[in-house]
Amino acid sequence: MKKIITQFGNISVYFYNTQKSNKTILFLHGNSCNSQTFQKQMDSSELENYHLVAIDLLGHGKSDFATNPEIAYTVSSIIETVIEVIEKLELTEYIICAHSFGGHIAIQSLPKLVNCKGILFFSTPPISNLASFADAFLPNPAFETLMQPHPTTDEIAVLVNEFTSNANIQYLLSDSIIKTDTNFRKIIAQNIPVHFTSESYEAETQILENTSLPVCIIHGQNEKVVNHDYISKLNIPTLFDKKIHVIENTSHFPQ
């Protein structure tokens, strides 16, 4: 693990199979998670010929808590931070693998990334505008826990049960939610309506429609947050295999 200095704070980056290949898979986690949610992939023999890199977003895992959270924890600043880390890593050929909130960051970063060869994301419905949230996400009150700065133990327990039936991941997610900077959820909840209605926002659906890079979308069969009907109707010309890849017996954490 090494720390990458960015304008908003130090970011923890983890490296696996560093000598195996210059072909890299870069992993981005979701809201109130951390890089450990990709541990199965880091330990997988099927990926042993790839250089694997995982990032803890600011306020998560072992990365710094922001000293100026009102600025650092906005969606646009998180995108800036991720791009800054990627540039400082000097990756020459990489694919992004992103989960949930990390998928939104990856999609919106895509037009500004150099040397990126493709994107794979899951538990992430690409958003066109603020109104599309109602179609993109299934109504699930437990999901609101990820927008609360101080969720109760019971609320966290209900959320993790909705997200996964895997006991190990439930424990990891509960622990990660508790340890995430509480300012992150508070400010993200406030910023999302602002970000997705701003003049600078480029629709995620439009980015994917226009990209020449291959796009792969994975969906958990028992997903209780993301609307499969919504993502199945998206127009993505470079969609891998021309379909959404559904993983059986999984939900919001198919990894």
Side-chain angles (χ1 to χ4, degrees):
M1 188 265 281
K2 75 180 285 189
K3 293 280 190 176
I4 301 290
I5 300 171
T6 76
Q7 60 184 312
F8 296 115
N10 295 328
I11 299 294
S12 293
V13 184
Y14 304 81
F15 304 91
Y16 301 80
N17 306 337
T18 55
Q19 306 301 321
K20 293 291 182 74
S21 174
N22 63 350
K23 294 182 178 179
T24 300
I25 303 176
L26 178 72
F27 295 86
L28 296 178
H29 64 77
N31 173 9
S32 298
C33 300
N34 58 53
S35 57
Q36 284 186 290
T37 56
F38 294 111
Q39 198 60 50
K40 289 283 188 181
Q41 285 67 51
M42 302 306 160
D43 295 337
S44 173
S45 60
E46 296 182 25
L47 298 178
E48 64 183 5
N49 291 322
Y50 289 88
H51 177 209
L52 307 179
V53 179
I55 296 172
D56 282 339
L57 295 176
L58 202 66
H60 297 72
K62 296 188 181 300
S63 289
D64 287 357
F65 283 16
T67 55
N68 54 347
E70 292 80 7
I71 298 174
Y73 292 151
T74 63
V75 177
S76 58
S77 292
I78 296 166
I79 292 169
E80 284 183 40
T81 304
V82 168
I83 292 173
E84 187 176 353
V85 170
I86 291 173
E87 290 175 347
K88 290 187 174 180
L89 290 173
E90 298 182 340
L91 303 178
T92 56
E93 187 175 346
Y94 64 94
I95 294 168
I96 295 181
C97 174
H99 172 226
S100 196
F101 178 75
H104 296 291
I105 299 302
I107 295 168
Q108 293 181 55
S109 300
L110 208 57
K112 300 177 182 178
L113 296 179
V114 179
N115 298 326
C116 182
K117 303 302 180 183
I119 181 172
L120 179 155
F121 58 87
F122 47 94
S123 310
T124 307
I127 300 299
S128 56
N129 52 45
L130 193 61
S132 68
F133 272 77
D135 295 324
F137 291 97
L138 300 171
N140 190 326
F143 187 55
E144 295 302 314
T145 298
L146 286 180
M147 296 301 169
Q148 297 177 29
H150 302 283
T152 66
T153 301
D154 288 345
E155 287 171 334
I156 293 174
V158 171
L159 172 70
V160 300
N161 189 61
E162 289 288 281
F163 273 7
T164 177
S165 59
N166 184 299
N168 291 331
I169 298 298
Q170 286 180 342
Y171 173 81
L172 176 63
L173 179 56
S174 298
D175 185 63
S176 179
I177 292 172
I178 293 167
K179 292 180 178 178
T180 297
D181 187 353
T182 57
N183 282 317
F184 182 87
R185 289 188 292 270
K186 174 185 175 182
I187 292 166
I188 278 294
Q190 296 170 345
N191 177 249
I192 282 176
V194 177
H195 176 78
F196 284 93
T197 56
S198 68
E199 291 184 2
S200 61
Y201 170 67
E202 182 178 359
E204 294 173 355
T205 49
Q206 196 68 36
I207 291 171
L208 295 176
E209 186 174 335
N210 293 334
T211 187
S212 60
L213 299 176
V215 176
C216 182
I217 303 179
I218 290 173
H219 186 77
Q221 180 187 41
N222 303 322
E223 171 70 70
K224 297 179 181 179
V225 176
V226 176
N227 187 349
H228 179 269
D229 289 342
Y230 173 85
I231 59 176
S232 66
K233 295 174 183 176
L234 296 173
N235 177 27
I236 306 176
T238 59
L239 184 65
F240 180 65
D241 280 349
K242 305 299 181 185
K243 67 178 183 180
I244 308 298
H245 292 261
V246 177
I247 309 298
E248 294 182 355
N249 302 318
T250 65
S251 50
H252 199 67
F253 280 76
Q255 75 269 45

